[in-house]
Amino acid sequence: MNKFNIQKLGILAVLASSAGFGVWIMLPKTEKSIRLQIQMTPAAEASLVPVATPEKSEAAIASGSTEAAMLAPTVIEPTSSLSESDMIESKNRDLSVFAESSLERLLELANSDMDPSLIESAMILGEIESKYESDIQLSEHVISFYQDCAKLHDLAPALRAVCFNKAVKLSLISNGEIWDPKEIPQRIKELATQL
Amino acid sequence: MTFRLTPSVIPEYKGQVGVSMGGFGVLGVVLVAMGVSAGPVRASTSFGYSSDLASEQIEIMESDFAFLDSAPISENNKSLKALLEVSNLSPATLRSWLQERVKFIAPKTFIPMMDDNVRALGGKVSYPGGFSEDETSNTNRVNNATNLSFPIYQAGRKSQQLLAFRFLNTDWIPVLSPRVGLVRLGDGFFRLLSKSFERDSLRNPLHRIFRLSVLFHEARHSDGSGSRIAFRHSACPEGHELSGNLSCDEPLNGGYAIQASVLEALTHAQPALDKIQKKVLDVQRLDALSRLVHLEQLPSPTEEGSLCSELVKYGHLPDYCNKKQVQDNFWWNTAPEFAEGEGVVK
């Protein structure tokens, strides 16, 4: 899903972060922008290398090619040499980039005339859930993603309701507190209870 | 003049009976003689298909039904039971409920009054109640399916004539009620839900559940009487995402509510669905529920794992979780309407 954007954003984020800037993205049609608050330390240089597909990487590694080193993926996989905190940070960075690009994509879809935009958006939410939700170390970022998503006015009510449902449930698990901002319409909340 | 709804046999179809006029039978309507038939039905098929439908589409729909037949539907789904007004839930009751309301399947090219496909049969009939203006949805979304029974019945009601429709491969089928169950498939019915899916995905559980839910939605448009005939959609209210479009439901037991409930029941019956597929179905379900004008009247589920049950577990009871009781005004009578006339024997 959306690999191009994720990779592009990943590289952008590395460049901007190392230069001390946040990244702003102007979104089409809505004239809105969202701040990409990417919490990250500069990534290894390998991540700035044009990204290869996993298949190419595996093939190169399997063949013993010297290209293997050049074909490292953008997202750094944790290795046994990394400390636990490094691993968590790496995961957080991965999620952060993924989440922000997902929010951007959701807004793009919401403002497009593409008919199955609801389905495509649902798939993004499904991907977030399947990739990140089970990792308790990432809960803060995941909750934050769902909260941001629930607040996006341009999204279809069904999508906002899914996000609200998730944000509330994960907040409860995380700290026992209810997340119930006034800015989210009652109708979205009522819809969320049906899930 | 009298009318008879009897099976007929034409060369490409053999046998009958499958669809017959079950709904009329249940309601005790007996129609006698005069060369009007209930239309041909291929033996062992679930519906009377127009010969203009691609054989692949018919095959997919039949396999959708086989999928429904093997779905382990939970007997405990009170919401679906209430919506369908059935005392027990099983694939057989779901199939029977659907087939009482959807009997004929037309392709998207079937436009009533075109190609000599609708005509007055003659004879005097009277229609109960008045009539209202024709309504069409004006959203720019892709159409999945349309129940054409009511528009044809309505046209007959306006002109006080008994109208009938036919496919190229059928005799004339009288439209004495929206229960005649003529559904036209739209562009969206056989579409891949995402462009990232392979064509084979049309036969996966995700797409089967989607298509079945659409048919159950359309089935509700065969119900109701008087001003509430066909459970027609209403304009979405101001502030709604689809404000002004005829894409919402006033009652809590209309097509969207049924679609949502069927989506839920069939999703729960398929534990092998992956998280992304489940999310797609969840979002479709909530999208259907978002069309309920009086959503605030819908009780919140309290089953383990539901949002409100989780909140209660942690000692919270926000106002949006308050217990509600569905009022009669939001639950419409589903009994169907029938025209009455000479020779139409009840």
Side-chain angles (χ1 to χ4, degrees):
Chain A
M1 194 283 313
N2 212 13
K3 277 181 183 161
F4 174 76
N5 277 348
I6 296 162
Q7 291 164 353
K8 192 172 68 177
L9 279 167
I11 293 165
L12 259 177
V14 170
L15 292 170
S17 172
S18 56
F21 295 112
V23 182
W24 289 78
I25 288 189
M26 292 306 294
L27 296 170
K29 294 187 184 179
T30 59
E31 296 181 356
K32 287 181 182 175
S33 61
I34 53 171
R35 180 86 192 265
L36 295 184
Q37 297 167 334
I38 299 167
Q39 300 162 9
M40 59 195 309
T41 52
E45 286 178 7
S47 65
L48 293 171
V49 173
V51 178
T53 64
E55 294 76 19
K56 278 185 185 172
S57 300
E58 283 168 19
I61 290 163
S63 67
S65 161
T66 52
E67 286 175 15
M70 299 291 288
L71 290 169
T74 302
V75 177
I76 303 164
E77 295 295 331
T79 65
S80 56
S81 62
L82 289 175
S83 68
E84 191 178 346
S85 63
D86 286 341
M87 279 165 52
I88 295 169
E89 194 177 343
S90 170
K91 283 183 187 175
N92 274 332
R93 186 166 62 234
D94 181 16
L95 169 61
S96 187
V97 172
F98 188 84
E100 293 296 351
S101 67
S102 296
L103 285 174
E104 179 207 5
R105 181 79 182 123
L106 286 172
L107 273 172
E108 277 175 3
L109 285 165
N111 289 287
S112 77
D113 293 329
M114 194 172 81
D115 179 67
S117 64
L118 196 67
I119 307 293
E120 302 289 346
S121 302
M123 291 171 72
I124 291 172
L125 296 184
E127 203 165 344
I128 291 276
E129 182 174 325
S130 59
K131 275 191 173 174
Y132 299 108
E133 211 173 290
S134 58
D135 193 335
I136 199 157
Q137 293 168 332
L138 301 176
S139 61
E140 196 181 318
H141 279 91
V142 174
I143 292 170
S144 174
F145 167 80
Y146 284 128
Q147 289 177 343
D148 289 346
C149 161
K151 289 176 186 170
L152 288 175
H153 294 280
D154 286 358
L155 287 199
L159 297 167
R160 293 182 73 184
V162 166
C163 291
F164 180 77
N165 178 297
K166 285 286 183 186
V168 173
K169 282 182 181 170
L170 293 175
S171 293
L172 287 173
I173 295 167
S174 169
N175 55 28
E177 295 295 314
I178 181 172
W179 183 71
D180 192 11
K182 296 276 180 283
E183 67 196 88
I184 295 184
Q186 184 79 354
R187 198 172 161 78
I188 299 289
K189 296 174 184 175
E190 286 164 352
L191 195 56
T193 67
Q194 298 296 326
L195 203 57
Chain B
M1 179 173 288
T2 55
F3 305 103
R4 183 160 90 187
L5 299 173
T6 58
S8 68
V9 177
I10 57 171
E12 64 196 281
Y13 290 114
K14 291 190 176 143
Q16 280 299 310
V17 197
V19 167
S20 75
M21 301 305 282
F24 293 117
V26 167
L27 288 154
V29 176
V30 179
L31 302 158
V32 196
M34 265 323 279
V36 178
S37 84
V41 177
R42 185 156 49 181
S44 79
T45 60
S46 305
F47 306 107
Y49 295 104
S50 162
S51 56
D52 287 337
L53 277 164
S55 57
E56 185 196 10
Q57 294 178 331
I58 295 174
E59 180 270 311
I60 288 176
M61 290 187 74
E62 286 301 310
S63 55
D64 286 348
F65 258 73
F67 171 83
L68 177 64
D69 286 342
S70 63
I73 305 286
S74 168
E75 171 64 25
N76 299 324
N77 192 327
K78 288 179 189 166
S79 158
L80 186 56
K81 266 187 198 171
L83 283 164
L84 303 185
E85 298 173 1
V86 295
S87 54
N88 67 78
L89 272 184
S90 69
T93 53
L94 287 177
R95 174 189 267 264
S96 166
W97 188 92
L98 183 61
Q99 287 180 318
E100 277 183 21
R101 292 159 178 82
V102 178
K103 301 182 178 84
F104 298 96
I105 303 293
K108 66 177 181 183
T109 50
F110 185 90
I111 300 167
M113 312 295 181
M114 297 279 285
D115 302 326
D116 190 27
N117 57 19
V118 173
R119 72 160 176 145
L121 289 176
K124 201 174 176 183
V125 290
S126 65
Y127 293 83
F131 55 79
S132 58
E133 294 300 312
D134 289 336
E135 293 166 353
T136 52
S137 175
N138 50 350
T139 65
N140 55 8
R141 294 189 177 201
V142 171
N143 175 265
N144 295 321
T146 307
N147 190 327
L148 291 176
S149 315
F150 173 70
I152 298 175
Y153 178 80
Q154 172 80 335
R157 190 154 75 164
K158 279 182 178 176
S159 61
Q160 293 292 295
Q161 296 182 90
L162 175 58
L163 299 185
F165 74 90
R166 71 173 176 185
F167 297 150
L168 286 176
N169 53 323
T170 72
D171 291 325
W172 290 101
I173 297 154
V175 183
L176 283 156
S177 164
R179 274 287 178 96
V180 74
L182 169 62
V183 169
R184 178 180 63 200
L185 306 180
D187 283 330
F189 193 79
F190 288 111
R191 76 170 188 264
L192 286 167
L193 291 174
S194 163
K195 58 189 173 187
S196 64
F197 291 138
E198 302 289 336
R199 183 152 178 77
D200 280 356
S201 306
L202 279 176
R203 288 176 172 78
N204 73 15
L206 170 66
H207 286 80
R208 292 197 191 285
I209 292 171
F210 161 73
R211 284 190 297 269
L212 285 166
S213 76
V214 169
L215 289 179
F216 275 89
H217 173 126
E218 292 308 322
R220 181 53 100 206
H221 294 306
S222 297
D223 288 336
S225 60
S227 62
R228 293 174 170 182
I229 187 169
F231 278 72
R232 284 164 294 161
H233 297 308
S234 58
C236 298
E238 205 169 315
H240 191 280
E241 183 200 20
L242 297 167
S243 173
N245 289 304
L246 293 171
S247 305
C248 283
D249 274 345
E250 286 284 333
L252 294 176
N253 59 338
Y256 284 116
I258 287 186
Q259 185 170 6
S261 200
V262 167
L263 281 167
E264 181 189 24
L266 292 179
T267 301
H268 283 168
Q270 296 296 327
L273 290 168
D274 65 32
K275 283 187 174 171
I276 291 177
Q277 291 174 322
K278 275 187 182 159
K279 197 58 65 187
V280 167
L281 292 167
D282 280 349
V283 166
Q284 283 191 315
R285 176 156 69 93
L286 291 190
D287 184 55
L289 289 174
S290 75
R291 313 299 187 88
L292 303 187
V293 174
H294 302 290
L295 174 68
E296 78 287 349
Q297 299 291 329
L298 198 65
S300 303
T302 53
E303 289 86 32
E304 178 74 23
S306 67
L307 181 60
C308 291
S309 76
E310 289 299 300
L311 282 162
V312 168
K313 202 190 292 179
Y314 284 88
H316 304 287
L317 187 59
D319 55 355
Y320 57 80
C321 278
N322 283 344
K323 227 177 181 179
K324 304 161 201 109
Q325 186 90 32
V326 176
Q327 296 169 33
D328 289 346
N329 194 36
F330 301 116
W331 199 268
W332 289 6
N333 187 340
T334 59
E337 178 176 308
F338 287 87
E340 297 185 350
E342 296 168 23
V344 179
V345 183
K346 285 193 177 178

